[in-house]
Every structure is written in structure tokens, then in C-alpha cells.
Amino acid sequence: MKRLLPLALLLASLAAQPAAAQTRRALSGLQLWPELQAELALPDSESDYVLLAVRGQNNTDNNGFDDPNRFLGFDERRVTLNFEHFWNEHWSGGGGLGYFSANKAYVLIPEVLLRHRSNVASFTFGQRLSFERTFPSPANAKGQTNARLRADLEKIFPLTASVALRPRLSYEAATHFRLLKSDTDPDERFIQFTSLRAEVGCRVGSNFDFTPWFAYQTNYLVTLPQYDSMGNQTSGGNLNLVSPVLGIDLRYTILQGQDAAKRKQLPTQH
């Protein structure tokens, strides 16, 4: 698992390589991602939990348009239910199920994950590897399996007996995972998505956390090329679509009588 770090750095370097001549870059408007979380601490464990999260996503580029598919002002909605079990202080694993809806379509996303956390000087360094399968609607739509790798670094600063700050920086890369590629499969970039996220979590008391964060997300696409009468490409090809995201996570923890001081709780970014 510790070798995931060199892999994460490799993915980051691949995504950050200088763009080729045919690669274009486009910047979308700010996205707003508020999320409500309810975490249930499981008995007989200092860390195991079940987490229910509900997120709304507002694309500010669409503000001002009367879209009948919007609900409470959100262009997209996501609900996830996750479980994680800790084998020891460093290793944990789990799974979850996500429901994502936008317009009149939806996607079911089951996921399995493996996580490792360790101390680096006075910081906590985490690595998260997961595999997810998308099942989009309608039923005959084609799904795919994605692999995601995330690395993060954080530190907790107690301010008072009941208040603590948790600054954290994370980087994630995702790719379409498949054993074989057929001739009919569309062209893809090796890395399809990256996200660089900075946050400052704040714990108030033993049950409540709020975490404002900002992320710089990029989708790496291959678009249909367009040519002029001389055969020169005028548009299309590789496209890096960049989206700034501003979010806030609000988490309430149900401790079931456990001691919050002994509990090793993860950040709000699951």
C-alpha cells in the first residue's frame, strides 16, 4: 500500500504534463457543493462507522435560467451510503452505494475502497484506493469501472477543550479501469479526472464538524475534431475542462455512548 504514493505522484505528473499543441483548455463557472452528513459510530469499535451524505451541486453558469429539472436550485443531486471497518490504526476498508441524478437521468455507483493512514512528522498522511462501477439510466446505457487514487495530508490543531481545526490538502486522480479495449471503444485519455482540494475542518464539541473547502477539478476529454477545407484541424481533439468548486460539509456524529476523545474520526471528505 505504501507504494501507492509513488503511483499517486506519477498520476499527478501525467496530468500536469505540458499540453500538446492540439490540447485545448476551457474554464467553466464556479460550482457550489453543499453537503449534509450523518455519521453513525458503530459499537465495539473506536473508528468503524456508517455514513449517510446528501449533496446538492449548483453550476453557477446556469443561474438565471428557468430549468424545470432543477430541484431546490440544484442542477445535480447525490446521495451516498458508506460503511468502513478499521482493522488497526493504519488500515481500513469498506464500501458504499451512491445515487447521482441530473436532469431526468440517474446513475447508481457501488464502490469498494482500501485506505491506509500513517504519521509523517507531525502530520497524518492518507492514501485511498477505490474501484467503482457506474450503472446509468436508461437500463441499456453503458456503464464503466473507474479506479480512483487519492493522497492527502492533514494536521489537527486543538484550540480549546471542545474546538479544533483540521487543515487538509488532498489530490485525487481517476481513470477508466478495464482489462481489454475493443476496437469500438471511444478514444480516451489515460487520466480522465483530477481534483486538488484544500480545506479547513472545524470540530465544535463532540458531535459536529463543518468543513469549508475549495477544489480545482479537471476533466480530461477527447472531443470530435473539426477541420477546414485544407485539412487543418480547427477545433476538437483533447480538451482539459477545468471547474473551480466551492463547498461546505456539515457532519453530525451519533456516538452511541462512545468517548469522542478516543475515536479516530476521518475528515469529512469520505
Side-chain angles (χ1 to χ4, degrees), residues 6 11 32 57 60 66 88 116 118 124 145 201 217 245 252:
L11 295 182
L32 304 176
Q57 298 179 198
T60 58
D66 186 14
N88 53 49
H116 181 267
S118 59
T124 299
T145 300
Q217 300 184 163
V245 181
Y252 183 80

Side-chain angles (χ1 to χ4, degrees), residues 220-238:
Y220 300 89
L221 309 174
V222 179
T223 60
L224 186 66
Q226 304 291 328
Y227 301 91
D228 61 19
S229 59
M230 302 298 293
N232 299 314
Q233 183 174 337
T234 57
S235 63
N238 290 347

Side-chain angles (χ1 to χ4, degrees), residues 34-260:
E35 180 169 298
L36 299 177
Q37 302 178 357
E39 178 177 326
L40 176 64
L42 297 181
D44 303 322
S45 171
E46 292 184 355
S47 302
D48 291 4
Y49 66 89
V50 173
L51 179 70
L52 175 66
V54 180
R55 177 201 298 167
Q57 298 179 198
N58 175 274
N59 304 323
T60 58
D61 282 343
N62 298 335
N63 289 346
F65 293 90
D66 186 14
D67 186 349
N69 295 312
R70 276 189 163 191
F71 177 70
L72 298 178
F74 296 122
D75 303 277
E76 304 169 10
R77 286 77 57 188
R78 182 171 183 139
V79 179
T80 56
L81 181 64
N82 303 284
F83 161 77
E84 192 158 350
H85 170 68
F86 287 72
W87 296 293
N88 53 49
E89 63 177 328
H90 298 296
W91 292 93
S92 63
L97 179 64
Y99 175 85
F100 174 86
S101 65
N103 298 321
K104 296 181 180 180
Y106 69 87
V107 183
L108 289 177
I109 311 175
E111 178 191 46
V112 294
L113 69 94
L114 180 67
R115 194 191 309 268
H116 181 267
R117 287 163 59 82
S118 59
N119 295 326
V120 178
S122 60
F123 296 88
T124 299
F125 175 68
Q127 299 172 91
R128 182 186 189 274
L129 175 65
S130 67
F131 292 89
E132 64 183 25
R133 178 70 183 178
T134 62
F135 294 94
S137 66
N140 59 353
K142 185 178 180 181
Q144 70 178 42
T145 300
N146 301 314
R148 295 181 179 272
L149 179 61
R150 182 198 303 160
D152 60 79
L153 195 65
E154 65 171 280
K155 185 176 176 63
I156 299 178
F157 294 92
L159 299 182
T160 68
S162 59
V163 178
L165 295 181
R166 190 175 202 161
R168 177 174 170 272
L169 184 68
S170 70
Y171 183 85
E172 179 179 303
T175 184
H176 181 188
F177 180 80
R178 55 189 170 187
L179 298 178
L180 296 174
K181 180 180 179 180
S182 69
D183 295 335
T184 59
D185 287 338
D187 291 334
E188 290 181 325
R189 314 274 288 274
F190 175 63
I191 299 296
Q192 282 89 52
F193 172 82
T194 59
S195 176
L196 178 63
R197 167 169 161 160
E199 65 184 52
V200 179
C202 182
R203 161 148 287 203
V204 181
S206 59
N207 299 92
F208 182 67
D209 299 75
F210 68 92
T211 304
W213 57 271
F214 179 80
Y216 201 69
Q217 300 184 163
T218 305
N219 287 283
Y220 300 89
L221 309 174
V222 179
T223 60
L224 186 66
Q226 304 291 328
Y227 301 91
D228 61 19
S229 59
M230 302 298 293
N232 299 314
Q233 183 174 337
T234 57
S235 63
N238 290 347
L239 173 64
N240 296 350
L241 181 59
V242 179
S243 302
V245 181
L246 181 64
I248 185 167
D249 299 340
L250 304 176
R251 177 176 63 190
Y252 183 80
T253 303
I254 304 171
L255 291 170
Q256 299 197 101
Q258 294 193 39
D259 185 353

